[in-house]
Amino acid sequence: MDEYSRFVDWDKMDVSAQSQDMKELTCTDFHELKQLARQGYWAKNHSLRAKVYHKLISNIPCRTVTPDANVYRDIVVKIIGKRNSSSLPLPEFVDNSLIPTYCLNAEGIGAIRKIILCIANQFPDISFCPALPSMIALLLHYSKDEAECFEQVCRILACNDPSKRLIDQTFLAFESSCMTFGDLVNKYCQAAHKLIVAVSEDVLEVYSDWQRWLFGELPMVYIARVFDVFLVEGYKVLYRVALALLKFFHKVRAGQPMESDSVQQDIRAFVRDIAKSVSPERLLEKAFAIRLFSRKEIQLLQMANEKALQQKGITVKQKRQNVHLAVHAENFKSEIVSVKEMRDIWSWIPERFALCQPLLLFTTLEHGCSLSRFYSHSEGHEPTLLLIKTTAKEVCGAYLSTDWSERRRGGNKLSFFGTGECFVFRLQPEVERYEWVIIKHPELASTGSETENHAQPASSTLSSSSVPSDPSDRLSPFLAARHFNLPSKTASMFMAGSSECIIVGGGDGQALYLDADLNHGRTSHCNTFNNQPLCSESFQISILEVWGFRD
């Protein structure tokens, strides 16, 4: 076919999908490249795609000394010798990953192992990289020889642009990406998340498969289209496509019995056979329709998850702790919720805290109905979980991302703080989780000054709208600004507290108010939403509990 056909088994390829029109790619503008990649401009011409890949990869900023094709030619004989590469053990860092053949011929399949072993020789700092075999197999399609493929993979591995993350190379990076993906699923794929929680004992284990869906199970024509965009836009594309896969899995399989005893196996099978239900174009269309966090916000979330893993000493592969170990009958007893209900709540919280065990901090049964005691027992803990049972047997609560001591910034006045990770929920009469809203604060919105984040009456309005439009470099309020030394203007209001009351802005128009005596509360519900209210508009509290998170 062309000079890039050495490793391709064309009998296994759909040649009819290939165009013989020799198009050229001359543009260098990022936004134009992004549109062309998403549209599949070079997807139907094998030679053009190879040339585009070469151009994009050669422009990746790399370490000063990055192994190239000449290095491969020098070392491959020393490392492989005359041995059959198929008999050589792969390095541990590929973690027994699938080695997809992607319509490669016998020479191409053998070349995958040779290149992996040479990369292991040149990159001793790689400790965990399960996506590597798939990436090599794909790039062999668009390489003239093994040495060229080796050089392209090395440039991806040696990228030194801190803003352009390309491939995980340590277990810490990989595991934190799985946690970050779990956080994103929890926010953007709630229906699929609810299904997985219902049928799986270990939700985190299911989400740890997300890279395997892409680099292992996804058919060649699909991963090539994903890779087209990945080389232009970076790592965020992988999250988008994995979320889209999960959305389609839920749409196709919802209401149907599981095909196996494992939802993990069912998702893998769905991705392998995705051509039966979704085209590559439809998959990408779905992926880019998701209004995902910005690249910088995802980096911050990844940093937070890495920090949580490091604090727990989880930097090498080990048995994952699942929610059933975090919340079980021996270490948990609540007068409001059952172990199962607490596990449901645990499946909603950010992944970095799902590693922790619940710790009872305050209960009105023991500590009385005093807001000051509520504060004294809750302060110093971040995050916390608020559980309420009403005299009408309703059960609701809130996940509170920020230490209640932050309220002191306002003196005796109502002070607003918190992050977009806050949410409210209802367990009885039926389970419902509400997305967050912001407690609007006119003074702060108009001045952006933290010093004015104090004087707002308790009757502050609540809104499901986002913060007024900001400059393009401004972050949304999802993560706590102070955790990352960000400017105060990036913080917003999701919690409020004073000596007279507390307010939690929930979501979808929901908000929770509690009076100082902790005997009475009320909710705010925006009528523009179709969901059910959090609980009665005015209610009497039977029991209130506050839970912290213990390492």
Side-chain angles (χ1 to χ4, degrees):
M1 294 281 291
D2 56 45
E3 59 185 330
Y4 300 99
S5 299
R6 175 175 173 178
F7 303 110
V8 181
D9 185 343
W10 287 103
D11 291 337
K12 297 178 181 177
M13 294 281 286
D14 182 6
V15 183
S16 63
Q18 291 291 308
S19 169
Q20 300 306 311
D21 295 337
M22 278 306 296
K23 296 183 288 186
E24 294 294 332
L25 184 70
T26 57
C27 80
T28 56
D29 178 72
F30 171 76
H31 295 289
E32 188 177 351
L33 268 176
K34 184 169 76 170
Q35 290 305 313
L36 292 175
R38 292 186 181 189
Q39 294 165 8
Y41 180 82
W42 51 82
K44 291 187 177 181
N45 187 289
H46 189 266
S47 180
L48 177 61
R49 179 181 258 159
K51 292 174 182 177
V52 172
Y53 280 10
H54 181 79
K55 179 179 180 180
L56 293 174
I57 293 173
S58 65
N59 288 332
I60 294 175
C62 295
R63 304 170 192 168
T64 304
V65 180
T66 298
D68 59 13
N70 290 327
V71 170
Y72 182 82
R73 297 184 184 102
D74 289 340
I75 66 174
V76 67
V77 176
K78 300 174 186 176
I79 294 173
I80 308 299
K82 295 182 179 180
R83 293 173 293 175
N84 185 338
S85 62
S86 63
S87 65
L88 298 175
L90 290 175
E92 289 186 5
F93 65 66
V94 299
D95 192 41
N96 297 317
S97 301
L98 293 176
I99 301 184
T101 58
Y102 288 155
C103 305
L104 294 171
N105 57 28
E107 184 184 6
I109 294 170
I112 298 174
R113 282 179 174 264
K114 291 166 68 176
I115 294 170
I116 291 174
L117 291 167
C118 289
I119 285 173
N121 175 268
Q122 293 295 302
F123 289 84
D125 52 335
I126 296 179
S127 59
F128 199 81
C129 192
L132 186 61
S134 174
M135 196 169 288
I136 292 172
L138 179 64
L139 286 172
L140 277 168
H141 267 264
Y142 305 102
S143 302
K144 295 177 182 177
D145 54 30
E146 294 172 12
E148 184 176 275
C149 180
F150 171 84
E151 179 175 326
Q152 292 192 88
V153 176
C154 286
R155 290 194 65 83
I156 291 172
L157 291 168
C159 175
N160 63 359
D161 182 350
S163 67
K164 194 180 178 92
R165 180 180 178 194
L166 292 176
I167 184 171
D168 296 329
Q169 300 176 46
T170 67
F171 182 74
L172 179 63
F174 173 82
E175 188 75 349
S176 62
S177 77
C178 295
M179 294 169 65
T180 301
F181 179 69
D183 289 328
L184 297 175
V185 172
N186 206 352
K187 180 166 181 62
Y188 295 103
C189 301
Q190 291 186 19
H193 181 68
K194 188 174 182 179
L195 170 66
I196 292 171
V197 169
V199 300
S200 174
E201 290 190 355
D202 192 345
V203 177
L204 296 181
E205 192 67 33
V206 175
Y207 295 152
S208 72
D209 247 12
W210 80 277
Q211 287 195 27
R212 175 174 173 150
W213 303 341
L214 304 174
F215 297 109
E217 306 292 358
L218 205 58
M220 160 72 186
V221 66
Y222 289 77
I223 188 58
R225 289 286 285 110
V226 173
F227 206 72
D228 291 346
V229 191
F230 165 74
L231 285 178
V232 176
E233 300 188 41
Y235 199 91
K236 183 179 174 182
V237 170
L238 305 182
Y239 283 133
R240 285 187 175 281
V241 176
L243 290 171
L245 286 170
L246 205 54
K247 283 178 175 287
F248 278 122
F249 170 78
H250 177 261
K251 181 179 180 179
V252 172
R253 296 291 174 83
Q256 299 180 12
M258 304 301 291
E259 294 186 356
S260 71
D261 294 333
S262 165
V263 67
Q264 191 173 32
Q265 294 298 330
D266 276 16
I267 296 174
R268 290 177 182 177
F270 171 78
V271 175
R272 277 195 302 273
D273 298 330
I274 192 170
K276 295 178 181 178
S277 53
V278 182
S279 68
E281 291 73 25
R282 182 75 185 96
L283 178 63
L284 288 179
E285 181 183 329
K286 187 77 166 178
F288 291 109
I290 299 171
R291 299 186 65 182
L292 202 60
F293 294 140
S294 70
R295 182 179 288 104
K296 188 168 185 179
E297 288 166 319
I298 290 176
Q299 287 175 344
L300 294 178
L301 191 55
Q302 182 95 7
M303 286 166 48
N305 286 329
E306 284 193 11
K307 183 178 179 181
L309 289 167
Q310 287 173 322
Q311 289 174 340
K312 293 184 177 298
I314 303 174
T315 57
V316 296
K317 188 176 182 184
Q318 54 190 262
K319 176 64 179 175
R320 183 192 300 273
Q321 175 177 319
N322 63 37
V323 70
H324 280 241
L325 293 177
V327 183
H328 55 76
E330 288 75 18
N331 73 354
F332 177 76
K333 186 178 188 328
S334 167
E335 299 300 325
I336 298 178
V337 298
S338 66
V339 171
K340 181 185 181 304
E341 288 172 324
M342 195 61 152
R343 287 172 180 166
D344 287 340
I345 298 169
W346 231 245
S347 74
W348 297 332
I349 66 176
E351 296 288 1
R352 61 190 184 277
F353 298 117
L355 299 167
C356 304
Q357 295 181 343
L359 173 67
L360 184 62
L361 303 175
F362 174 86
T363 170
T364 52
L365 292 179
E366 179 181 345
H367 302 106
C369 299
S370 164
L371 187 55
S372 62
R373 283 196 288 274
F374 169 96
Y375 286 139
S376 66
H377 284 272
S378 302
E379 287 176 2
H381 295 271
E382 183 179 286
T384 53
L385 193 68
L386 176 68
L387 297 177
I388 297 170
K389 185 175 185 178
T390 73
T391 54
K393 308 299 184 185
E394 298 167 309
V395 175
C396 62
Y399 171 80
L400 306 169
S401 65
T402 306
D403 191 332
W404 278 106
S405 62
E406 286 288 296
R407 80 187 194 287
R408 297 183 184 278
R409 292 181 305 162
N412 293 324
K413 298 177 181 179
L414 194 64
S415 179
F416 295 82
F417 51 98
T419 77
E421 287 186 317
C422 293
F423 61 86
V424 294
F425 56 86
R426 182 185 67 202
L427 295 177
Q428 298 289 344
E430 59 186 45
V431 177
E432 184 76 44
R433 175 194 167 192
Y434 302 92
E435 278 294 285
W436 54 263
V437 295
I438 298 171
I439 303 175
K440 296 183 71 175
H441 192 276
E443 289 83 354
L444 186 64
S446 61
T447 66
S449 170
E450 185 171 325
T451 60
E452 294 200 31
N453 186 16
H454 305 322
Q456 178 75 357
S459 59
S460 289
T461 59
L462 292 136
S463 169
S464 60
S465 61
S466 60
V467 180
S469 59
D470 301 315
S472 59
D473 62 343
R474 182 165 166 184
L475 299 174
S476 82
F478 188 76
L479 295 170
R482 63 190 180 82
H483 287 176
F484 306 101
N485 298 317
L486 299 176
S488 61
K489 69 178 182 179
T490 63
S492 288
M493 297 71 70
F494 302 86
M495 304 161 56
S498 70
S499 59
E500 298 177 356
C501 71
I502 63 174
I503 307 174
V504 179
D508 293 345
Q510 305 285 351
L512 185 65
Y513 301 75
L514 299 181
D515 293 339
D517 60 9
L518 296 186
N519 280 318
H520 181 263
R522 64 189 190 277
T523 60
S524 169
H525 177 62
C526 178
N527 293 327
T528 60
F529 293 88
N530 294 324
N531 52 16
Q532 296 298 311
L534 187 63
C535 62
S536 301
E537 186 173 345
S538 179
F539 58 87
Q540 295 293 321
I541 297 173
S542 173
I543 309 170
L544 182 148
E545 295 175 349
V546 178
W547 291 81
F549 293 74
R550 178 174 56 197
D551 291 340

